[in-house]
């Protein structure tokens, strides 16, 4: 099988990492893959923030959990009340993906394409990842402006996703989930 297809099929969300940092060269290649994603009207409406300060990474997890302790969404509430749960899985590197909303295109789709490019590039380099949608919860609430300032996210950009990066402490990738059936038809 060609390597692109192999990486697509092997990639899994990994939530347990070794305490080893990912090499700078690999991080740069992963971000470059994000930068080369397609975007509506070639808007390239993204901004990437690379976090490697454990204190900040832990703070994001702790404060998000605190804010979700009384969430009306049962799964959020369960995660927030689980002492062992770390929203960013103690990853040594986290890339926060922000986007600029403008009129005629879908910023979320563009950021999704960039994010998936980064997951696949990581897989090809032996780096494990997990896409973190929950990151948006950290950037809600009263203190929102300070949080954007602390991470130096440019004005007009909104955080949409994050990706954790690290070396997996599992033995190999888990098997893929069963794919849903009857999701394709041909009209000929
Ligand atoms: C938009 C989006 C948001 C996600 N948010 C989270 C998240 O906040 N935390 C998490 O652990 N996994 C998150 N995931 C990962 C999914 O849970 C995972 O992709 C799914 O269970 C399929 O498993 P796989 O990635 O191993 O194939 C997210 C995935 C996507 C596409």
């Amino acid at each position: 099988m060609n390597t692109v297809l192999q990486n697509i099929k092997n990639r899994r969300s990994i939530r347990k990492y070794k305490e080893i940092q990912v090499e700078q060269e690999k991080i740069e290649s992963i971000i470059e893959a994000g930068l080369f994603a397609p975007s509506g009207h070639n808007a390239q409406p993204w901004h990437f923030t690379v976090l490697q300060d454990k204190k900040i990474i832990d703070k994001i997890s702790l404060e998000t959990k605190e804010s979700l302790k009384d969430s009306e969404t049962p799964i959020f509430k369960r995660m927030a009340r689980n002492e062992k749960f770390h929203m960013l899985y103690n990853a040594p590197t986290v890339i926060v993906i922000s986007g600029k909303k403008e009129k005629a295109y879908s910023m979320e789709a563009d950021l999704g394409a960039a994010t998936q490019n980064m997951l696949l590039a990581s897989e090809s380099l032996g780096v494990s990842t997990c896409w973190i949608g929950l990151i948006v919860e950290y950037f809600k609430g009263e203190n929102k402006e300070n949080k954007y300032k602390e991470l130096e996210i440019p004005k007009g950009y909104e955080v949409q996703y994050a990706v954790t990066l690290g070396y997996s402490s599992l033995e190999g990738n888990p098997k893929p989930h069963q794919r849903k059936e009857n999701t394709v038809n041909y009209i000929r």
Side-chain angles (χ1 to χ4, degrees):
M1 201 190 304
N2 89 40
T3 50
V4 173
L5 296 177
Q6 220 162 24
N7 286 320
I8 289 171
K9 291 184 91 173
N10 287 347
R11 183 215 55 81
R12 291 298 313 279
S13 296
I14 300 297
R15 300 180 173 89
K16 227 170 180 306
Y17 301 103
K18 292 181 181 158
E19 284 180 28
I20 310 170
Q21 188 52 277
V22 179
E23 298 84 342
Q24 178 64 16
E25 199 183 22
K26 288 193 180 180
I27 289 174
E28 284 170 17
S29 300
I30 290 163
I31 290 177
E32 191 176 35
L35 292 171
F36 272 77
S39 59
H41 300 272
N42 188 31
Q44 304 182 32
W46 39 62
H47 180 83
F48 303 99
T49 308
V50 183
L51 303 180
Q52 294 184 320
D53 180 337
K54 183 161 169 51
K55 269 193 244 125
I56 293 181
I57 292 173
D58 288 347
K59 175 176 170 266
I60 292 175
S61 173
L62 268 174
E63 287 189 14
T64 311
K65 283 175 71 178
E66 199 50 47
S67 75
L68 293 177
K69 271 196 169 140
D70 296 313
S71 168
E72 283 172 13
T73 312
I75 187 167
F76 286 179
K77 193 162 153 180
R78 256 201 320 279
M79 287 190 297
R81 288 170 180 247
N82 176 353
E83 262 184 46
K84 288 192 182 144
F85 178 73
H86 191 292
M87 187 181 82
L88 301 166
Y89 304 109
N90 294 299
T93 295
V94 177
I95 302 177
V96 176
I97 299 130
S98 313
K100 194 171 184 187
K101 200 141 193 103
E102 279 166 14
K103 283 171 223 143
Y105 62 86
S106 162
M107 177 262 275
E108 289 86 352
D110 299 340
L111 265 47
T115 303
Q116 179 68 355
N117 267 13
M118 293 197 288
L119 300 193
L120 295 178
S122 300
E123 180 67 28
S124 78
L125 295 168
V127 175
S128 294
T129 57
C130 187
W131 185 321
I132 309 288
L134 211 47
I135 191 81
V136 294
E137 299 299 328
Y138 176 70
F139 290 93
K140 288 180 180 166
E142 289 164 16
N143 210 10
K144 185 176 161 177
E145 266 185 36
N146 284 341
K147 291 173 176 173
Y148 272 83
K149 249 192 217 160
E150 186 182 23
L151 297 196
E152 299 172 26
I153 294 166
K155 278 224 151 53
Y157 284 73
E158 246 182 69
V159 172
Q160 293 288 323
Y161 310 121
V163 173
T164 56
L165 288 107
Y167 288 104
S168 171
S169 58
L170 308 177
E171 298 259 324
N173 279 8
K175 284 213 172 94
H177 293 292
Q178 189 75 31
R179 296 293 116 181
K180 286 189 179 170
E181 291 179 6
N182 302 320
T183 57
V184 182
N185 67 318
Y186 290 81
I187 314 260
R188 286 176 168 143

